[in-house]
């Protein structure tokens, strides 16, 4: 079966009609929605070596309907989603009218979620959900104090604020642009907004007065080393971003004197049983209000290259859905 796809081939991006054949253990999905993540934009614009194979169809997220199956796990007509798991990096992804994927990476669409809503979350929403899940698994609770979220103006941070708010935590955020985003961040559920420069006026000592019960960190680098001394007894810090760098220096004091835990949340390769559980939570008790209103733009397949360029050049922001 042939279908139109966005194809990256030898450093060039373009559209091509591709053949889609289904082998044993695979399903053929009619893609209804995808989304443009920053990682997708890096690959489409050839700004960073995102793709592990060539040629490849980009798109790390997709949601749609199974139209042909050679899998015992999925039926024709079933709604499904795929995010991460090598999609759009190692194997052909969601920027196509059709997608052939292994049954091993497909998630049944939760009952209370449409394909459009699933992609409104996308990898950003899933990563936020996974980080919250890991923190709660490790004993996080509202009594430990407020949750601090960095990078809250981005997709992952914004979803994290809303999920923790739903779970009755006090949520605080830190930003370099408090004046620009204060109204928006409070609308998401932030109780207090810190100007970055005010929160860290001086380089922190190995331990400071505990101010936060836990942290969702999208920045990494020096932020991570500065915030660890501010975390309360047995609090958790989920490290899920690197906007301020991949390396940081720290003391062992928060870990050995306060029992602070530093947790990772790798959305690309998390266990399938956890993946399904997090998606069910995002469709159920953790489903954020006005989910579709968080989508800033809806574009077609043909508009992905231009949108990706705008995202890399900071002319675009927020969540963009691709309607296929």
């Amino acid at each position: 079966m042939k279908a139109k796809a966005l194809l990256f081939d030898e450093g060039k991006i373009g559209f091509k009609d591709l053949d889609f054949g289904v082998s044993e253990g695979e399903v053929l999905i009619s893609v209804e929605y995808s989304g443009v993540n920053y990682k997708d934009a890096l690959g489409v614009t050839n700004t960073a070596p995102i793709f592990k194979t060539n040629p490849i169809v980009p798109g790390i997220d997709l949601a749609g309907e199974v139209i042909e199956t050679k899998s015992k796990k999925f039926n024709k007509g079933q709604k499904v989603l795929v995010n991460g798991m090598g999609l759009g990096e190692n194997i052909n992804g969601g920027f196509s009218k059709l997608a052939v994927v292994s049954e091993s990476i497909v998630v049944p669409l939760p009952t209370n979620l449409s394909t459009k809503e699933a992609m409104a979350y996308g990898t950003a929403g899933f990563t936020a959900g996974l980080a919250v899940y890991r923190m709660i698994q490790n004993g996080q609770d509202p009594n430990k104090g407020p949750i601090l979220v960095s990078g809250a103006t981005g997709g992952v941070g914004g979803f994290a604020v809303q999920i923790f708010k739903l779970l009755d935590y006090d949520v605080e955020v830190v930003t370099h642009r408090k004046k620009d985003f204060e109204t928006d961040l409070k609308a998401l559920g932030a109780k207090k907004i810190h100007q970055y420069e005010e929160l860290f006026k001086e380089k922190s000592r190995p331990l400071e007065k505990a101010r936060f019960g836990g942290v969702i960190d999208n920045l990494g680098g020096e932020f991570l080393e500065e915030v660890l001394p501010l975390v309360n007894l047995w609090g958790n810090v989920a490290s899920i971003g690197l906007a301020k760098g991949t390396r940081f220096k720290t003391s062992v004091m928060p870990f050995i004197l306060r029992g602070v835990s530093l947790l990772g949340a790798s959305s690309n390769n998390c266990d399938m049983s956890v993946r399904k559980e997090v998606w069910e939570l995002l469709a159920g008790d953790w489903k954020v209000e006005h989910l579709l209103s968080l989508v800033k733009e809806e574009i077609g397949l043909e508009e992905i290259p231009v949108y990706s360029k705008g995202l890399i050049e900071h002319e675009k922001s927020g969540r963009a859905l691709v309607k296929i």
Side-chain angles (χ1 to χ4, degrees):
M1 189 179 297
K2 281 187 175 290
K4 185 178 182 180
L6 183 65
L7 190 71
F8 182 88
D9 190 3
E10 298 295 343
K12 295 181 180 180
I13 198 80
F15 292 95
K16 189 173 182 179
D17 287 334
L18 300 179
D19 286 310
F20 292 86
V22 185
S23 300
E24 196 64 35
E26 293 181 333
V27 295
L28 177 64
I29 301 168
S30 175
V31 182
E32 296 175 7
Y33 285 95
S34 185
V36 183
N37 298 280
Y38 193 73
K39 181 185 280 189
D40 295 316
L42 287 171
V44 168
T45 58
N46 204 20
T47 304
I50 299 299
F51 305 129
K52 309 300 190 294
T53 187
N54 188 89
I56 189 170
V57 176
I60 64 173
D61 298 331
L62 69 81
E65 181 178 320
V66 175
I67 60 171
E68 187 178 338
T69 178
K70 289 188 178 179
S71 163
K72 295 179 181 178
K73 296 181 179 180
F74 297 96
N75 302 315
K76 187 175 180 179
Q78 186 173 359
K79 298 286 187 176
V80 295
L81 67 90
V82 186
N83 75 292
M85 306 290 278
L87 190 76
E89 295 182 74
N90 301 323
I91 58 175
N92 285 336
F95 293 167
S96 172
K97 291 184 179 294
L98 297 175
V100 174
V101 292
S102 167
E103 63 182 16
S104 64
I105 68 171
V106 179
V107 175
L109 189 72
T111 304
N112 196 35
L113 209 61
S114 68
T115 54
K116 187 173 184 178
E117 288 175 322
M119 290 299 95
Y121 278 124
T123 286
F126 177 78
T127 303
L130 180 60
V132 175
Y133 176 90
R134 290 219 63 201
M135 290 172 73
I136 291 175
Q137 248 194 344
N138 207 44
Q140 195 69 48
D141 68 71
N143 295 324
K144 288 184 170 65
I147 301 295
L148 180 69
V149 179
S150 67
T153 56
V156 180
F159 280 118
V161 170
Q162 293 173 87
I163 295 168
F164 269 122
K165 178 66 176 175
L166 276 173
L167 299 176
D168 293 324
Y169 285 77
D170 286 337
V171 187
E172 302 182 10
V173 302
V174 55
T175 177
H176 282 292
R177 301 171 64 186
K178 181 178 177 180
K179 291 182 180 179
D180 295 339
F181 292 104
E182 187 165 11
T183 301
D184 291 342
L185 290 169
K186 285 186 175 178
L188 288 179
K191 188 172 183 178
K192 188 173 183 180
I193 300 164
H194 300 276
Q195 181 73 22
Y196 188 99
E197 293 76 13
E198 292 296 315
L199 188 61
F200 303 118
K201 283 184 177 179
E202 301 174 1
K203 289 293 182 183
S204 56
R205 296 171 294 182
L207 281 181
E208 298 281 357
K209 180 181 178 182
R211 298 176 61 178
F212 306 110
V215 181
I216 295 270
D217 174 37
N218 287 276
L219 301 181
E222 65 179 6
F223 175 82
L224 199 49
E225 77 183 59
E226 291 174 330
V227 80
L228 280 166
L230 304 179
V231 180
N232 205 352
L233 288 168
W234 302 106
N236 296 285
V237 178
S239 174
I240 54 178
L242 45 72
K244 290 187 75 69
T246 59
R247 296 180 179 273
F248 69 100
K249 296 178 181 179
T250 190
S251 159
V252 298
M253 296 303 185
F255 310 118
I256 65 175
L257 296 183
R258 287 186 180 163
V260 173
S261 294
L262 184 59
L263 305 175
S266 178
S267 63
N268 192 41
N269 52 28
C270 91
D271 182 80
M272 180 54 78
S273 63
V274 173
R275 186 176 295 274
K276 289 178 179 177
E277 189 174 352
V278 171
W279 274 113
E280 289 292 342
L281 287 167
L282 291 173
D285 292 343
W286 295 6
K287 190 173 185 180
V288 302
E289 289 186 278
H290 315 300
L291 176 56
L292 293 179
S293 69
L294 300 174
V295 176
K296 301 295 184 184
E297 202 166 338
E298 188 172 304
I299 64 175
L301 194 63
E302 296 79 7
E303 299 169 84
I304 292 172
V306 172
Y307 184 88
S308 296
K309 185 174 184 291
L311 197 58
I312 295 299
E313 294 176 353
H314 305 292
E315 295 171 357
K316 298 286 186 179
S317 63
R319 185 79 180 141
L321 285 189
V322 182
K323 185 176 182 179
I324 318 243

